[in-house]
């Protein structure tokens, strides 16, 4: 399912439902760039400690934009011995909510853009229909400004006039405009019994980029609903934090860093602080690249890139998992690769995880063909991220 600005609200219930019923989730991101140089190898080297590498990635990678977020949910159907999958592709772009909202600057890496373009990536969909968002810090600041302006407008018996570009207080209104503004306010707020809080004022932009002020009389319940609509757009990504489900990714350090940076808070300067934030946002992580590079898999797997890993895990001693697309959701076929579409890469990541998890069942007595995402056999792989040059990031204490 493609999720854009236009259908985001209608998609919320299916997204929440899919996350709630899932046994585990797989994620992937597509970015406007990876490093500040021609390649990651130019940015870091094998002598870097995990802390040094984190500092470099934080400094040189966070000005790039995560503009497609892939989420696949996997639910095991015991009666049919198969997984049911639901895939979501979120197109994301930080369009400002209002004049007071952050106006994000970001950079692009020409090699990354060229590569994604060669894969058929739809940049128009990102820029035209990408879902706007705020991280928690930005949202808190915007809420404070909004509440301050609202209280100044509705808190007294006479209207205050607030500049849309300032949260410092009322501004002087030219004499020639006072009568007109007073008449508009009186006409809007005349019914004080039904509308005790007065009015809801909102700047509206048409498809032709024409801007005008829309004034509505609302009761308290409707006013709250209208305010909530301004902030509901970023709730889907926060649901990943509260669900407590295992979140699987492949070589997922940058995915985790960008997700936290864009949707939660600015990244801490030190690695230890980043680990603490990560465990608050994603209590259970599993990196399939690290898993494939660890015993008992590393002697059996020769290439841990995502596409090659998926192919190897179809061959003995592994077995391709039974996974079907849930009714009404986009189906993927690995025979016609769609690599570097975030939803597809998340799907492939989920397949790799299932194959490796089920392989661990062969060591049990008697052997088991299905290993749950909550199995203790997986605990050695929890909360660790692989990175280039074999840097290892351990987030939790097991």
């Amino acid at each position: 399912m493609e999720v854009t600005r236009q259908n985001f609200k209608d998609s919320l219930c299916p997204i929440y439902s899919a996350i709630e019923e899932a046994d585990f989730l797989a994620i992937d991101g597509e970015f406007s760039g990876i490093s500040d140089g021609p390649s990651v190898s130019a940015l870091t080297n094998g002598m870097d400690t995990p802390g040094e590498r984190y500092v470099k990635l934080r400094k040189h990678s966070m000005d790039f934009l995560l503009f497609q977020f892939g989420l696949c949910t996997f639910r095991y159907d015991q009666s049919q011995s198969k997984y049911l999958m639901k895939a979501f592709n979120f197109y994301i772009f930080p369009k400002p909510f209002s004049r007071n909202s952050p106006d994000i600057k970001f950079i692009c890496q020409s090699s990354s853009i060229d590569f994604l373009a060669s894969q058929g990536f739809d940049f128009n969909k990102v820029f035209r229909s990408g879902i706007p968002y705020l991280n928690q810090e930005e949202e808190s600041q915007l809420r404070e400004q909004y509440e301050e302006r609202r209280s100044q407008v509705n808190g007294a018996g006479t209207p205050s006039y607030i500049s849309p570009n300032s949260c410092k207080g009322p501004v002087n209104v030219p004499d020639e405009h006072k009568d007109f503004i007073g008449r508009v306010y009186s006409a809007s707020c005349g019914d004080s019994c039904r509308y005790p809080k007065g009015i809801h004022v909102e700047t509206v932009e048409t498809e032709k980029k024409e801007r005008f002020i829309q004034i509505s009389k609302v009761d308290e319940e409707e006013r709250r609903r209208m305010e909530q609509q301004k902030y509901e757009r970023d709730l889907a990504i926060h649901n990943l934090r509260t669900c407590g489900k295992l979140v699987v990714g492949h070589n997922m350090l940058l995915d985790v860093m960008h997700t936290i940076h864009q949707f939660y808070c600015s990244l801490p300067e030190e690695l230890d602080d980043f680990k603490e934030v990560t465990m608050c946002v994603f209590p259970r992580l599993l990196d399939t690249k690290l898993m494939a590079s660890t015993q008992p898999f590393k002697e059996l797997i020769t290439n841990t890139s995502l596409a090659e890993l998926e192919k190897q895990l179809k061959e003995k001693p592994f077995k391709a998992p039974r996974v079907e697309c849930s009714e009404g959701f986009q189906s993927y076929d690995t025979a016609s690769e769609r690599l570097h579409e975030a939803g597809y890469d998340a799907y492939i990541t989920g397949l790799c995880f299932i194959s490796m998890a089920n392989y661990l069942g062969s060591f049990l007595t008697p052997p088991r063909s299905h290993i749950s995402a909550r199995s203790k056999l997986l605990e050695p792989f929890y909360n660790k991220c692989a990175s280039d040059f074999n840097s290892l990031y351990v987030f939790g204490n097991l």
Side-chain angles (χ1 to χ4, degrees):
M1 176 185 290
E2 287 192 346
V3 186
T4 64
R5 186 189 314 157
Q6 285 75 19
N7 71 344
F8 182 82
K9 184 179 178 181
D10 293 335
S11 301
L12 282 176
C13 285
I15 293 168
Y16 291 156
S17 176
I19 293 174
E20 178 64 27
E21 70 186 16
D23 290 294
F24 75 94
L25 318 170
I27 65 171
D28 184 75
E30 296 298 334
F31 312 104
S32 63
I34 297 177
S35 75
D36 200 29
S39 66
V40 174
S41 60
L43 177 61
T44 61
N45 59 70
M47 300 300 292
D48 287 339
T49 65
E52 290 170 338
R53 178 169 172 77
Y54 167 75
V55 170
K56 290 180 179 180
L57 288 175
R58 176 183 177 274
K59 179 180 179 181
H60 296 286
S61 294
M62 293 304 104
D63 285 335
F64 295 112
L65 187 68
L66 168 62
F67 48 35
Q68 191 184 61
F69 184 83
L71 169 68
C72 276
T73 67
F74 292 83
R75 177 177 66 86
Y76 189 68
D77 186 330
Q78 188 75 39
S79 63
Q80 301 186 57
S81 300
K82 67 181 181 182
Y83 276 96
L84 296 176
M85 179 273 295
K86 295 180 179 180
F88 301 91
N89 259 312
F90 297 85
Y91 286 86
I92 302 164
F93 188 71
K95 177 183 177 181
F97 287 95
S98 67
R99 293 181 182 180
N100 294 320
S101 302
D103 193 1
I104 303 298
K105 296 179 180 179
F106 67 94
I107 61 176
C108 297
Q109 189 174 18
S110 57
S111 57
S112 294
I113 298 300
D114 179 65
F115 176 76
L116 289 175
S118 71
Q119 301 295 310
F121 190 87
D122 192 342
F123 293 98
N124 282 334
K125 191 167 290 185
V126 170
F127 300 135
R128 290 180 178 177
S129 303
I131 304 164
Y133 59 87
L134 299 171
N135 67 31
Q136 290 182 340
E137 295 169 350
E138 294 164 343
E139 180 183 342
S140 178
Q141 293 173 3
L142 194 61
R143 280 184 184 273
E144 289 177 3
Q145 295 174 11
Y146 182 81
E147 289 300 324
E148 182 178 344
R149 292 196 303 275
R150 189 178 65 82
S151 64
Q152 288 172 327
V153 170
N154 294 323
T158 58
S160 298
Y161 304 104
I162 312 300
S163 167
N165 294 318
S166 172
C167 61
K168 295 180 180 180
V171 297
N172 293 326
V173 177
D175 291 338
E176 63 269 23
H177 294 162
K178 286 183 179 179
D179 287 344
F180 171 74
I181 293 176
R183 289 196 302 271
V184 171
Y185 184 86
S186 297
S188 300
C189 304
D191 191 353
S192 59
C193 295
R194 184 179 179 187
Y195 304 100
K197 289 296 182 180
I199 59 174
H200 174 85
V201 182
E202 183 177 14
T203 300
V204 179
E205 184 177 286
T206 68
E207 293 182 356
K208 296 181 179 180
K209 304 302 181 182
E210 299 168 333
R211 298 173 68 89
F212 61 92
I213 295 175
Q214 178 174 288
I215 302 175
S216 308
K217 292 191 294 186
V218 293
D219 58 20
E220 181 67 11
E221 181 179 353
E222 187 174 1
R223 181 188 63 78
R224 288 176 179 171
R225 178 184 62 79
M226 295 177 75
E227 288 179 7
Q228 179 63 25
Q229 287 177 351
K230 290 191 174 187
Y231 300 106
E232 68 182 358
R233 303 178 188 181
D234 66 337
L235 293 180
I237 197 70
H238 290 292
N239 197 243
L240 294 180
R241 179 184 65 180
T242 58
C243 72
K245 303 293 175 68
L246 176 65
V247 177
V248 177
H250 186 82
N251 199 18
M252 66 190 303
L253 179 61
L254 278 177
D255 298 286
V256 171
M257 292 176 70
H258 275 279
T259 300
I260 291 174
H261 179 70
Q262 289 187 206
F263 306 127
Y264 291 98
C265 63
S266 300
L267 292 180
E269 294 184 3
E270 301 296 331
L271 177 59
D272 287 343
D273 295 329
F274 169 64
K275 291 179 180 181
E276 290 187 14
V277 172
T278 300
M279 292 311 299
C280 289
V281 176
F282 297 113
R284 281 200 301 161
L285 291 172
L286 189 145
D287 190 326
T288 51
K289 183 178 180 70
L290 180 138
M291 190 176 184
S293 304
T294 307
Q295 292 288 10
F297 302 103
K298 70 176 185 178
E299 303 300 332
L300 303 171
I301 295 172
T302 58
N303 190 328
T304 60
S305 69
L306 182 58
E308 292 302 315
L309 179 62
E310 188 270 333
K311 293 175 182 177
Q312 292 180 71
L313 290 173
K314 292 178 178 177
E315 307 296 331
K316 292 183 178 180
F318 307 105
K319 184 178 179 180
R322 289 189 63 201
V323 178
E324 293 184 8
C325 176
S326 296
E327 184 177 355
F329 284 82
Q330 180 177 0
S331 179
Y332 286 124
D333 180 7
T334 57
S336 54
E337 293 183 345
R338 298 177 63 175
L339 293 171
H340 305 290
E341 176 185 289
Y344 179 80
D345 284 359
Y347 168 66
I348 295 297
T349 298
L351 296 184
C352 292
F353 165 71
I354 296 169
S355 292
M356 289 190 287
N358 288 345
Y359 176 73
L360 294 176
S362 65
F363 295 94
L364 298 177
T365 304
R368 294 177 57 185
S369 59
H370 168 68
I371 296 298
S372 166
R374 295 176 293 277
S375 171
K376 291 185 178 297
L377 292 174
L378 297 170
E379 289 185 356
F381 309 104
Y382 284 168
N383 301 331
K384 302 172 184 178
C385 276
S387 186
D388 294 306
F389 311 112
N390 297 318
S391 293
L392 175 63
Y393 296 81
V394 182
F395 295 107
N397 295 319
L398 300 177

